[in-house]
Amino acid sequence: MLLDVQNLHVSFATRRGKAAVVRGVGFSLDAGETLGVVGESGSGKSVTGSAILRILPRTASIDEGAILFEDRDIAHAAEKDLRGVRGPGIGMVFQDPLASLNPYLTIGTQIEEGLRLHRGLSRRAARTAALAELAAVGLPDPEGKIDSYPHEFSGGQRQRIVIASALVLRPKLLIADEPTTALDVTIQAQILDLFRARQKELGTAMILVTHNLGVAATLCDRILVMYAGMILENGPCEEILLRPAHPYTAALKKSIPAGEPGGRLFSIPGAPPAPGSAPEGCPFAPRCAFAGKGCAKFSQLREVAPGHATQCGKVLAGEIAQEVLS
Amino acid sequence: MSAILEVKDLFVRYRGRGKAAVRAVDGVSLSLAQGETLGLAGESGCGKSTLVRAIMGLAPVHAGILLLNGADLARMSAKEARKVRFALQMVFQDPYASLDPSMSVEGIVAEAVRARGGLGKTEVAAKVAQALEMVGLPPDAASRRPHEFSGGQRQRIAIARAVAADPQILLADEAVSALDVSVQAQILNLLADLKARRNLSMIFVSHDLSVIRHVSTRMAVMYLGKIVESGPTEKVLSRPFHLYTRALLSASPVADPVEQKKRLRLLLRGEPPSPANPPPGCAFAWRSPKEVPASVASIPGRFREVAPGHFVEIHPATVDDPEALHAAADALEANRKDG
C-alpha cells in the first residue's frame, strides 16, 4: 500500500468558529493505481488533496486522522521532514499551471532546480534530464524552448511543463487537482492521453481530483464520491459510474445532459450544505428522493460488492435495489 | 420560418498596439428563426463569444450586416440601436462577475426594467417581482445582495434581469459552464421553461457539446473566427463532416468508462493558430489529423451546403472526401435551380 488515509478531519477557522470541510475521510491507494476523487464545489475533494500534500492554507488545520505515505504518517510531520516527500515522493499538478510556475525563472531553471536539490544531479545532468522529460510530455522543440519563460507558452503547453517538472523527479504518487478544467476539450484530450502514457511508462500512482465524471471515466481505476466533506461511495470506476450504489452518485450522473434533446433534465433539488453546516446523519438526505427516517443517523461506508462500498444505509439494508440507481 | 435575427458577413477586428488586427470574427453569417435555439460551439479564441458580443453591440463591428427584425443594427446611430437592442438580452458565464455586488437583487433587476423606459414605479416593481418569481427565487431574495447567494442562485438573478426586460432573444454565453452539474441541470430546465413561456428565441454559446445537443435544434461550429460546419444539431452531431467537429466530439469525455474505451480517438495536432496571425488558406489544415502539403493548405476551403440545411467547409484537410461533398453540394444547387 502506497498511501493510507485514515479518518481525516480538516477544518477552516472562520469568523463564526470552526467549519469542518473534511469529515472522517479514509481510503487507500496502491502503487501505480489511479484514484478519482469526484464531487461538486464544496465537497472537500480539493481540500483532501491539499491535506495529503500538506499545503493547506493557514486558516485550515488537520484536526484528526493519519496520512500514511509509504507507512510514514505525514499528517503532522514537521515542515522540514516534508521536503523529501513533496516533489520526490508526491508530485502535484493544479488547475492553473501559472500557480505552480515562477514567472521570473525560465522553465529549464525551474525543472533543473528540483533535480539538483532532490536528486543531487550536476548542472549538466539536470539539463539532460529536463530536456528528456520535456520531450516526453510532448513539448514541441524542447531544446529551443527550455530557456523560455512561462508566459511564452499557451495554457496547454504550460500544463505540459508543470507535468514534466513533477514527473521528472519520478514521484511514486501524483496529485492532480482539476488538471484539465481550464483547458479546451481538444487540449484536455491531449493532456489526458499524456497522463495515461507517462503513467504507464513510469508506474506513477495518481489521485485525480475532478468535478467531471467523463474525465474520471477516462483515467481512473477507482473512484471516491465526496459530498459535504464525506465519502459517500468508493469503488471500481466501472461500478461507480455504471452501477452506482448511492442515490447521490446516481443523481449526479443523471443530471448530465445525455438523453433525448430538449427533454427535461433530471435535477437534484436544493443545493449542497454550506461548509460547516451539514446536517447530522447522511449529508445528502435533505436532497435525496429516497431519504427516510433512518437517514438521520450516519452509516459507515460498507461493501455492497467486493471493493465497492457505500455509505447509504438504505442501499446497505437492501431497501433500495441497486437497479433503481443504475 | 422568418428570421428574427440575421447576421451577414460579419467581421469583428480588435486593434493591438501597432500590431496586426486580431480577426476575432472573420466573415460569419447566420440566422435565427422566431422561437428557435441556435447552438454555437467551439474552443476558446474561436470567436463565438465575440460574435454574440458584437450582436449585443459590445464588440466593434468592422463590416457586415446585423438585422434585428429586419432593421440593420450595424448602420444605426448608437442612440437608435440602444432603443431596439432591448429586444436582445444576455446571460454571461460568470455569475460572480456579472452582478453588481453593491446593489440589491431587486435593484439589479429593476435597473434592467427601467432601462427600457416608459414604466411607472408600480409597474417596474410588478415586473421585478414577476421576474424573480419566474426564475424560482424565494420572495425574500429581492432585498438581499448577490454575495448572499450560491453560484446557481446568482445565475437565476442574472436570468431574471435578462427576462425582466421582455426580450425577444436571449443570448447565453457559456451560461451554465461555471456551475456544478446538478445545478447546471436546474438552470437548463429553467431556461427551457422560460423559452416556452415567453416565446423566446435563443443563441446558446457553449464549449460543451452535450449541452448544445440538449438545448439547440440547429448549431454552428466555429474555428478561428469562422463557421466551419452548421446545420440541424442532430445531423451535425450524429454525422459530422468536418474533422474538427469530429475531433471535438471525440475529445468530449463521457461518464461511461466502457463507452469511453470504445470510442474512436481523433487527436488534433498542436494548438489553434492565433487570430492575430491566421495562417493563409485553410486555418484548420495546420491541426488536421489529415496532413496535406503546404501548397494545398494555403488554398482556402469552400463553405457549401452539402445536405438540406447542413453546411460544411470543404477542403482536402477538413473532410474525408472533398470530391463527394462538392458533388453533393452541386447536386443540391442544381436541384434548387430546377425546383
Side-chain angles (χ1 to χ4, degrees), chain A residues 51-137:
Chain A
I52 295 167
L53 284 161
R54 293 283 312 278
I55 50 166
L56 290 167
R58 262 169 215 283
T59 51
S61 61
I62 297 179
D63 298 332
E64 217 186 310
I67 301 167
L68 300 174
F69 178 66
E70 298 189 301
D71 301 323
R72 215 178 101 214
D73 188 2
I74 55 170
H76 302 282
E79 189 59 26
K80 67 171 170 39
D81 296 327
L82 290 170
R83 267 177 231 151
V85 177
R86 255 186 241 129
I90 309 177
M92 47 196 139
V93 175
F94 301 105
Q95 176 170 342
D96 177 10
L98 284 180
S100 4
L101 293 169
N102 183 331
Y104 300 110
L105 297 176
T106 65
I107 61 161
T109 308
Q110 299 186 51
I111 298 173
E112 289 157 29
E113 200 174 53
L115 285 164
R116 299 183 58 190
L117 185 73
H118 294 295
R119 295 275 178 256
L121 296 191
S122 70
R123 202 176 281 271
R124 184 178 292 174
R127 167 132 303 210
T128 310
L131 279 171
E133 194 59 38
L134 286 172
V137 298

Coordinates of all heavy atoms in Angstrom, one line a residue, chain A residues 51-137:
Chain A
A51 N -4.5 18.4 1.8 CA -4.1 17.9 3.1 C -3.1 16.8 2.9 O -2.1 16.8 3.7 CB -5.3 17.3 3.8
I52 N -3.2 16.0 1.9 CA -2.2 14.9 1.7 C -0.9 15.6 1.3 O 0.2 15.1 1.8 CB -2.7 14.0 0.6 CG1 -3.9 13.2 1.0 CG2 -1.6 12.9 0.2 CD1 -4.7 12.5 -0.1
L53 N -0.9 16.7 0.6 CA 0.3 17.3 0.2 C 0.8 18.3 1.3 O 1.9 18.8 1.2 CB 0.1 18.2 -1.1 CG 0.0 17.5 -2.4 CD1 -0.7 18.3 -3.4 CD2 1.4 17.1 -2.9
R54 N 0.0 18.4 2.3 CA 0.3 19.4 3.4 C 0.5 20.8 2.9 O 1.5 21.5 3.3 CB 1.5 18.9 4.2 CG 1.2 17.6 5.0 CD 0.4 17.8 6.2 NE 0.8 18.9 7.1 CZ 1.8 18.8 7.9 NH1 2.4 17.6 8.1 NH2 2.2 19.8 8.6
I55 N -0.4 21.2 2.0 CA -0.3 22.6 1.5 C -1.6 23.3 1.8 O -2.0 24.1 1.0 CB 0.0 22.6 0.0 CG1 -0.9 21.7 -0.8 CG2 1.5 22.2 -0.3 CD1 -1.0 21.9 -2.3
L56 N -2.2 23.0 2.9 CA -3.4 23.7 3.3 C -3.2 25.1 3.6 O -2.1 25.5 4.0 CB -4.0 23.0 4.5 CG -4.6 21.6 4.3 CD1 -4.9 20.9 5.7 CD2 -5.9 21.6 3.5
P57 N -4.1 26.0 3.3 CA -4.0 27.4 3.7 C -3.8 27.5 5.2 O -4.2 26.6 6.0 CB -5.2 28.1 3.2 CG -6.2 27.0 2.9 CD -5.4 25.8 2.6
R58 N -3.3 28.6 5.7 CA -3.0 28.9 7.1 C -4.2 28.7 8.0 O -4.1 28.3 9.1 CB -2.5 30.3 7.3 CG -1.0 30.4 7.4 CD -0.6 31.9 7.3 NE 0.7 32.0 6.6 CZ 1.8 31.7 7.1 NH1 1.9 31.3 8.4 NH2 2.9 31.8 6.4
T59 N -5.4 29.1 7.4 CA -6.6 29.1 8.3 C -7.1 27.6 8.4 O -8.1 27.4 9.2 CB -7.7 29.9 7.6 OG1 -7.9 29.5 6.3 CG2 -7.4 31.4 7.7
A60 N -6.6 26.7 7.7 CA -7.1 25.3 7.8 C -6.2 24.5 8.7 O -5.0 24.7 8.9 CB -7.1 24.7 6.4
S61 N -6.8 23.5 9.4 CA -5.9 22.6 10.2 C -6.4 21.1 10.1 O -7.6 20.9 9.9 CB -6.0 23.0 11.6 OG -7.3 23.0 12.1
I62 N -5.5 20.2 10.2 CA -5.8 18.8 10.2 C -6.1 18.5 11.7 O -5.2 18.6 12.5 CB -4.7 17.9 9.7 CG1 -4.4 18.2 8.2 CG2 -5.0 16.4 9.9 CD1 -3.3 17.4 7.6
D63 N -7.4 18.2 12.0 CA -7.8 18.1 13.4 C -7.6 16.7 13.9 O -7.4 16.4 15.1 CB -9.2 18.5 13.6 CG -9.5 19.9 13.2 OD1 -8.5 20.7 13.4 OD2 -10.6 20.3 12.8
E64 N -7.7 15.7 13.0 CA -7.7 14.3 13.4 C -7.3 13.5 12.2 O -7.4 13.9 11.1 CB -9.1 14.0 13.8 CG -9.2 13.1 15.0 CD -10.7 12.7 15.2 OE1 -11.6 13.6 15.3 OE2 -11.0 11.4 15.3
G65 N -6.8 12.3 12.5 CA -6.5 11.3 11.4 C -5.1 11.1 11.1 O -4.2 11.8 11.6
A66 N -4.8 10.2 10.2 CA -3.5 9.9 9.8 C -3.4 9.8 8.3 O -4.4 9.5 7.6 CB -3.1 8.5 10.4
I67 N -2.2 10.2 7.8 CA -2.0 10.1 6.3 C -0.7 9.3 6.2 O 0.4 9.9 6.4 CB -1.8 11.5 5.7 CG1 -3.1 12.3 5.8 CG2 -1.4 11.4 4.2 CD1 -2.9 13.8 5.5
L68 N -0.8 8.0 6.0 CA 0.4 7.2 5.9 C 0.9 7.1 4.4 O 0.2 6.6 3.6 CB 0.1 5.8 6.4 CG -0.4 5.7 7.8 CD1 -0.8 4.3 8.2 CD2 0.7 6.2 8.8
F69 N 2.0 7.7 4.2 CA 2.6 7.6 2.8 C 3.8 6.8 3.0 O 4.8 7.1 3.7 CB 3.0 9.0 2.3 CG 3.6 9.0 0.9 CD1 2.9 8.6 -0.2 CD2 5.0 9.4 0.8 CE1 3.5 8.5 -1.4 CE2 5.6 9.3 -0.4 CZ 4.9 8.9 -1.6
E70 N 3.9 5.7 2.3 CA 4.9 4.6 2.4 C 5.1 4.3 3.9 O 6.3 4.3 4.4 CB 6.2 5.1 1.8 CG 6.0 5.3 0.3 CD 7.3 5.6 -0.5 OE1 8.0 6.6 -0.1 OE2 7.7 4.8 -1.4
D71 N 4.0 4.1 4.6 CA 4.0 3.7 6.0 C 4.4 4.7 7.0 O 4.6 4.5 8.2 CB 4.8 2.4 6.2 CG 4.3 1.3 5.4 OD1 3.1 1.2 5.2 OD2 5.1 0.5 4.8
R72 N 4.7 6.0 6.6 CA 5.0 7.0 7.5 C 3.9 8.0 7.6 O 3.4 8.5 6.6 CB 6.3 7.7 7.0 CG 7.2 8.1 8.0 CD 8.5 8.8 7.4 NE 8.4 10.2 7.5 CZ 8.9 11.0 6.6 NH1 9.5 10.6 5.5 NH2 8.8 12.3 6.8
D73 N 3.5 8.4 8.8 CA 2.4 9.3 9.0 C 2.9 10.8 8.7 O 3.8 11.3 9.4 CB 1.9 9.2 10.4 CG 0.6 10.1 10.5 OD1 0.2 10.7 9.5 OD2 0.0 10.1 11.7
I74 N 2.4 11.4 7.7 CA 2.8 12.8 7.3 C 1.8 13.8 7.7 O 1.9 15.0 7.5 CB 3.2 12.9 5.8 CG1 2.0 12.5 5.0 CG2 4.4 12.1 5.5 CD1 2.2 12.8 3.5
A75 N 0.7 13.3 8.4 CA -0.4 14.3 8.7 C 0.1 15.4 9.7 O -0.4 16.5 9.6 CB -1.6 13.5 9.4
H76 N 1.0 15.0 10.5 CA 1.5 16.0 11.5 C 3.0 16.2 11.4 O 3.6 16.7 12.4 CB 1.0 15.7 12.9 CG -0.4 15.6 13.0 ND1 -1.3 16.6 13.1 CD2 -1.3 14.5 13.0 CE1 -2.5 16.3 13.1 NE2 -2.6 14.9 13.1
A77 N 3.6 15.7 10.3 CA 5.1 15.8 10.2 C 5.5 17.2 10.1 O 4.8 18.1 9.7 CB 5.5 15.0 9.0
A78 N 6.7 17.5 10.6 CA 7.3 18.9 10.6 C 7.6 19.3 9.2 O 7.9 18.4 8.3 CB 8.5 19.0 11.5
E79 N 7.6 20.6 8.9 CA 7.8 21.1 7.6 C 9.1 20.6 7.0 O 9.2 20.2 5.8 CB 7.8 22.6 7.6 CG 7.8 23.3 6.3 CD 6.7 23.0 5.4 OE1 5.6 22.6 5.8 OE2 6.8 23.1 4.1
K80 N 10.2 20.5 7.8 CA 11.5 20.1 7.3 C 11.5 18.6 6.9 O 12.2 18.2 6.0 CB 12.6 20.4 8.3 CG 12.6 19.5 9.6 CD 13.8 19.8 10.4 CE 13.9 19.2 11.8 NZ 13.2 18.0 12.1
D81 N 10.6 17.8 7.5 CA 10.5 16.4 7.2 C 9.7 16.2 5.9 O 9.7 15.1 5.3 CB 9.9 15.6 8.3 CG 10.8 15.6 9.5 OD1 12.0 15.7 9.4 OD2 10.3 15.7 10.7
L82 N 8.9 17.2 5.5 CA 8.1 17.1 4.3 C 8.9 17.4 3.1 O 8.4 17.1 2.0 CB 6.9 18.1 4.4 CG 5.9 17.7 5.5 CD1 4.9 18.9 5.7 CD2 5.1 16.5 5.1
R83 N 10.0 18.0 3.2 CA 10.8 18.4 2.0 C 11.1 17.2 1.1 O 11.1 17.3 -0.1 CB 12.1 19.1 2.4 CG 11.8 20.6 2.4 CD 13.0 21.4 2.9 NE 12.6 22.3 3.9 CZ 13.4 22.7 4.9 NH1 14.7 22.2 5.0 NH2 13.0 23.5 5.8
G84 N 11.4 16.1 1.7 CA 11.8 14.9 1.0 C 10.5 14.2 0.4 O 10.6 13.2 -0.4
V85 N 9.3 14.6 0.9 CA 8.1 14.0 0.4 C 7.5 14.7 -0.7 O 7.3 14.2 -1.8 CB 7.1 13.9 1.6 CG1 5.8 13.3 1.1 CG2 7.6 13.1 2.7
R86 N 7.3 16.1 -0.5 CA 6.7 16.9 -1.6 C 7.7 17.0 -2.7 O 8.8 17.4 -2.5 CB 6.4 18.3 -1.0 CG 5.0 18.6 -0.8 CD 4.9 20.0 -0.4 NE 4.4 20.2 1.0 CZ 4.9 20.9 1.9 NH1 6.1 21.6 1.7 NH2 4.3 21.0 3.1
G87 N 7.3 16.6 -3.9 CA 8.3 16.7 -5.0 C 8.8 15.3 -5.4 O 8.2 14.6 -6.2
P88 N 9.8 14.8 -4.6 CA 10.3 13.4 -5.0 C 9.4 12.3 -4.6 O 9.4 11.2 -5.2 CB 11.6 13.4 -4.2 CG 11.5 14.3 -3.1 CD 10.6 15.4 -3.6
G89 N 8.5 12.5 -3.6 CA 7.6 11.4 -3.1 C 6.3 11.6 -3.8 O 5.7 10.7 -4.4
I90 N 5.7 12.8 -3.6 CA 4.4 13.1 -4.1 C 4.5 14.4 -5.0 O 4.9 15.4 -4.5 CB 3.4 13.4 -3.0 CG1 3.4 12.3 -1.9 CG2 2.0 13.6 -3.5 CD1 2.5 12.5 -0.7
G91 N 4.2 14.2 -6.2 CA 4.2 15.4 -7.1 C 2.8 16.0 -7.2 O 1.9 15.4 -6.8
M92 N 2.8 17.2 -7.7 CA 1.5 17.9 -7.8 C 1.3 18.7 -9.1 O 2.2 19.3 -9.6 CB 1.3 18.8 -6.6 CG 2.5 19.7 -6.3 SD 2.4 20.4 -4.7 CE 4.1 20.3 -4.1
V93 N 0.0 18.7 -9.6 CA -0.4 19.4 -10.7 C -1.7 20.0 -10.4 O -2.6 19.4 -10.0 CB -0.5 18.5 -12.0 CG1 -1.1 19.3 -13.2 CG2 0.8 17.8 -12.3
F94 N -1.8 21.4 -10.6 CA -3.1 22.1 -10.3 C -3.8 22.5 -11.6 O -3.3 22.5 -12.7 CB -2.8 23.3 -9.4 CG -2.2 22.9 -8.1 CD1 -0.8 23.2 -7.9 CD2 -2.9 22.3 -7.1 CE1 -0.2 22.8 -6.7 CE2 -2.3 21.9 -6.0 CZ -0.9 22.2 -5.7
Q95 N -5.0 23.1 -11.3 CA -5.8 23.6 -12.5 C -5.1 24.7 -13.2 O -5.1 24.7 -14.4 CB -7.1 24.1 -11.9 CG -8.0 24.7 -13.0 CD -9.4 25.0 -12.4 OE1 -9.8 24.5 -11.4 NE2 -10.1 25.9 -13.1
D96 N -4.5 25.6 -12.5 CA -3.9 26.7 -13.1 C -2.4 26.5 -13.1 O -1.7 26.7 -12.1 CB -4.2 28.0 -12.3 CG -3.5 29.2 -12.9 OD1 -2.9 29.1 -14.0 OD2 -3.5 30.3 -12.3
P97 N -1.8 26.2 -14.3 CA -0.3 26.0 -14.3 C 0.5 27.1 -13.9 O 1.6 27.0 -13.4 CB -0.1 25.6 -15.8 CG -1.3 26.1 -16.6 CD -2.4 26.1 -15.6
L98 N 0.0 28.4 -14.0 CA 0.8 29.5 -13.6 C 1.0 29.6 -12.1 O 1.9 30.2 -11.6 CB 0.1 30.8 -14.1 CG 0.3 31.1 -15.6 CD1 -0.4 32.4 -16.0 CD2 1.8 31.1 -16.0
A99 N 0.1 28.9 -11.4 CA 0.2 28.9 -9.9 C 1.4 28.1 -9.5 O 2.0 28.3 -8.4 CB -1.1 28.4 -9.3
S100 N 1.8 27.1 -10.3 CA 3.0 26.3 -9.9 C 4.3 26.7 -10.6 O 5.3 26.1 -10.4 CB 2.7 24.8 -10.1 OG 1.5 24.6 -10.7
L101 N 4.2 27.7 -11.5 CA 5.4 28.1 -12.2 C 5.8 29.5 -11.8 O 5.0 30.4 -11.6 CB 5.2 28.1 -13.7 CG 5.0 26.7 -14.4 CD1 4.5 26.9 -15.8 CD2 6.2 25.9 -14.3
N102 N 7.1 29.7 -11.6 CA 7.6 31.0 -11.2 C 7.8 31.9 -12.5 O 8.5 31.5 -13.4 CB 9.0 30.8 -10.5 CG 9.5 32.2 -10.0 OD1 9.3 33.2 -10.6 ND2 10.3 32.1 -8.9
P103 N 7.1 33.0 -12.5 CA 7.1 33.8 -13.8 C 8.5 34.4 -14.1 O 8.7 34.7 -15.2 CB 6.1 34.9 -13.6 CG 5.9 35.0 -12.1 CD 6.2 33.6 -11.5
Y104 N 9.4 34.5 -13.1 CA 10.7 35.1 -13.3 C 11.8 34.2 -13.7 O 12.9 34.6 -13.9 CB 11.1 35.9 -12.0 CG 10.1 36.9 -11.6 CD1 9.3 36.8 -10.5 CD2 9.9 38.1 -12.4 CE1 8.3 37.8 -10.2 CE2 9.0 39.1 -12.1 CZ 8.2 38.9 -10.9 OH 7.3 39.8 -10.6
L105 N 11.5 32.9 -13.7 CA 12.6 31.9 -14.0 C 12.2 31.1 -15.3 O 11.0 30.9 -15.5 CB 12.7 30.9 -12.8 CG 13.1 31.4 -11.5 CD1 13.1 30.3 -10.5 CD2 14.5 32.1 -11.6
T106 N 13.2 30.8 -16.0 CA 13.0 30.0 -17.2 C 12.5 28.6 -16.8 O 12.7 28.2 -15.7 CB 14.2 29.8 -18.1 OG1 15.1 29.0 -17.4 CG2 14.8 31.2 -18.5
I107 N 11.7 28.0 -17.7 CA 11.2 26.7 -17.3 C 12.3 25.7 -17.1 O 12.2 24.8 -16.2 CB 10.2 26.2 -18.4 CG1 10.9 26.0 -19.8 CG2 9.0 27.1 -18.5 CD1 10.1 25.1 -20.7
G108 N 13.4 25.8 -17.8 CA 14.6 25.0 -17.6 C 15.1 25.1 -16.2 O 15.3 24.1 -15.5
T109 N 15.3 26.3 -15.8 CA 15.8 26.6 -14.4 C 15.0 25.9 -13.4 O 15.4 25.3 -12.4 CB 15.9 28.1 -14.1 OG1 16.6 28.7 -15.2 CG2 16.6 28.4 -12.8
Q110 N 13.6 26.0 -13.6 CA 12.7 25.5 -12.6 C 12.7 24.0 -12.5 O 12.7 23.4 -11.4 CB 11.3 26.0 -12.9 CG 11.2 27.5 -12.8 CD 9.8 28.0 -13.0 OE1 8.9 27.6 -12.3 NE2 9.6 29.0 -13.9
I111 N 12.8 23.4 -13.7 CA 12.8 21.9 -13.7 C 14.2 21.4 -13.1 O 14.2 20.4 -12.4 CB 12.5 21.4 -15.1 CG1 11.1 21.8 -15.5 CG2 12.6 19.8 -15.1 CD1 10.8 21.5 -17.0
E112 N 15.2 22.0 -13.6 CA 16.6 21.6 -13.1 C 16.8 21.8 -11.6 O 17.5 21.0 -11.0 CB 17.7 22.4 -13.9 CG 17.7 21.9 -15.4 CD 18.3 23.0 -16.3 OE1 19.1 23.8 -15.8 OE2 17.9 23.1 -17.5
E113 N 16.2 22.9 -11.1 CA 16.3 23.1 -9.7 C 15.9 21.9 -8.8 O 16.6 21.5 -7.9 CB 15.4 24.3 -9.3 CG 15.8 25.0 -8.0 CD 14.9 26.3 -7.9 OE1 13.7 26.2 -8.0 OE2 15.5 27.4 -7.7
G114 N 14.8 21.4 -9.1 CA 14.2 20.2 -8.4 C 15.2 19.0 -8.5 O 15.4 18.3 -7.5
L115 N 15.7 18.8 -9.7 CA 16.6 17.7 -9.9 C 17.9 17.8 -9.1 O 18.4 16.8 -8.6 CB 16.9 17.6 -11.4 CG 15.8 17.0 -12.3 CD1 16.1 17.3 -13.8 CD2 15.6 15.5 -12.1
R116 N 18.4 19.0 -9.1 CA 19.7 19.2 -8.4 C 19.5 19.1 -6.9 O 20.3 18.5 -6.2 CB 20.3 20.6 -8.8 CG 20.6 20.6 -10.3 CD 21.2 21.9 -10.7 NE 22.4 22.1 -10.0 CZ 23.1 23.2 -10.0 NH1 22.7 24.2 -10.7 NH2 24.2 23.3 -9.3
L117 N 18.3 19.7 -6.4 CA 18.1 19.6 -5.0 C 17.7 18.2 -4.5 O 18.3 17.8 -3.5 CB 16.9 20.6 -4.7 CG 16.5 20.8 -3.3 CD1 17.5 21.7 -2.6 CD2 15.1 21.5 -3.2
H118 N 16.8 17.6 -5.2 CA 16.3 16.3 -4.7 C 17.1 15.1 -5.2 O 17.1 14.1 -4.6 CB 14.8 16.1 -5.0 CG 13.9 17.1 -4.4 ND1 13.7 17.2 -3.0 CD2 13.1 18.1 -4.9 CE1 12.9 18.1 -2.7 NE2 12.5 18.7 -3.8
R119 N 17.6 15.2 -6.4 CA 18.3 14.1 -6.9 C 19.8 14.2 -6.9 O 20.6 13.4 -7.4 CB 17.8 13.8 -8.3 CG 16.4 13.4 -8.4 CD 16.2 11.9 -8.2 NE 14.8 11.5 -8.2 CZ 14.1 11.2 -7.1 NH1 14.6 11.3 -5.9 NH2 12.8 10.9 -7.2
G120 N 20.3 15.4 -6.5 CA 21.7 15.7 -6.4 C 22.4 15.6 -7.8 O 23.6 15.3 -7.9
L121 N 21.7 16.0 -8.9 CA 22.3 15.9 -10.2 C 23.2 17.1 -10.4 O 23.0 18.2 -9.9 CB 21.3 15.9 -11.3 CG 20.3 14.7 -11.3 CD1 19.5 14.7 -12.6 CD2 21.1 13.4 -11.2
S122 N 24.2 16.9 -11.3 CA 25.0 18.1 -11.7 C 24.2 19.0 -12.6 O 23.2 18.5 -13.1 CB 26.3 17.6 -12.5 OG 25.9 17.0 -13.7
R123 N 24.7 20.2 -12.9 CA 24.1 21.1 -13.8 C 23.8 20.5 -15.1 O 22.7 20.5 -15.7 CB 24.9 22.3 -13.9 CG 24.2 23.6 -14.4 CD 25.2 24.7 -14.4 NE 25.5 25.3 -13.1 CZ 24.8 26.3 -12.5 NH1 23.8 26.8 -13.2 NH2 25.1 26.8 -11.4
R124 N 24.8 19.8 -15.6 CA 24.7 19.2 -17.0 C 23.7 18.1 -17.0 O 22.9 18.0 -17.9 CB 26.1 18.8 -17.5 CG 26.0 18.3 -18.9 CD 27.4 17.9 -19.5 NE 28.2 19.0 -19.6 CZ 29.5 18.9 -20.0 NH1 30.1 17.7 -20.1 NH2 30.3 20.0 -20.1
A125 N 23.8 17.2 -16.0 CA 22.9 16.0 -15.9 C 21.5 16.5 -15.8 O 20.6 15.9 -16.3 CB 23.3 15.1 -14.8
A126 N 21.3 17.5 -15.0 CA 19.9 18.0 -14.7 C 19.4 18.6 -16.0 O 18.2 18.3 -16.4 CB 20.0 19.2 -13.7
R127 N 20.2 19.3 -16.8 CA 19.7 19.8 -18.1 C 19.3 18.7 -19.1 O 18.2 18.7 -19.7 CB 20.8 20.7 -18.8 CG 20.5 21.0 -20.2 CD 20.6 22.5 -20.6 NE 19.8 23.4 -19.8 CZ 19.3 24.6 -20.3 NH1 19.6 24.9 -21.6 NH2 18.7 25.4 -19.6
T128 N 20.1 17.6 -19.1 CA 19.8 16.5 -20.0 C 18.5 15.8 -19.6 O 17.6 15.6 -20.4 CB 20.9 15.4 -19.9 OG1 22.2 16.1 -20.1 CG2 20.8 14.4 -20.9
A129 N 18.3 15.6 -18.2 CA 17.1 15.0 -17.7 C 15.9 15.9 -18.0 O 14.8 15.4 -18.4 CB 17.2 14.7 -16.2
A130 N 16.1 17.2 -17.8 CA 14.9 18.2 -18.1 C 14.5 18.1 -19.5 O 13.3 18.1 -19.9 CB 15.3 19.6 -17.7
L131 N 15.5 18.1 -20.4 CA 15.2 18.1 -21.9 C 14.5 16.8 -22.2 O 13.5 16.8 -23.0 CB 16.5 18.2 -22.7 CG 17.0 19.6 -22.9 CD1 18.4 19.5 -23.5 CD2 16.1 20.5 -23.7
A132 N 14.9 15.7 -21.7 CA 14.3 14.4 -22.0 C 12.8 14.4 -21.5 O 11.9 13.9 -22.2 CB 15.1 13.3 -21.3
E133 N 12.6 15.0 -20.3 CA 11.2 15.0 -19.7 C 10.3 15.9 -20.6 O 9.2 15.6 -20.8 CB 11.3 15.4 -18.3 CG 10.0 15.1 -17.5 CD 9.5 13.6 -17.6 OE1 10.4 12.7 -17.5 OE2 8.3 13.3 -17.7
L134 N 10.9 17.1 -21.0 CA 10.1 18.0 -21.8 C 9.7 17.3 -23.1 O 8.6 17.5 -23.6 CB 10.8 19.3 -22.0 CG 10.9 20.2 -20.8 CD1 11.8 21.4 -21.1 CD2 9.5 20.7 -20.4
A135 N 10.6 16.6 -23.7 CA 10.3 15.8 -24.9 C 9.2 14.8 -24.6 O 8.3 14.6 -25.4 CB 11.5 15.2 -25.5
A136 N 9.4 14.1 -23.5 CA 8.4 13.0 -23.1 C 7.0 13.5 -22.9 O 6.0 12.8 -23.2 CB 8.9 12.3 -21.9
V137 N 6.8 14.8 -22.4 CA 5.5 15.3 -22.3 C 5.0 16.0 -23.5 O 3.9 16.6 -23.6 CB 5.4 16.3 -21.1 CG1 5.7 15.6 -19.8 CG2 6.2 17.6 -21.3

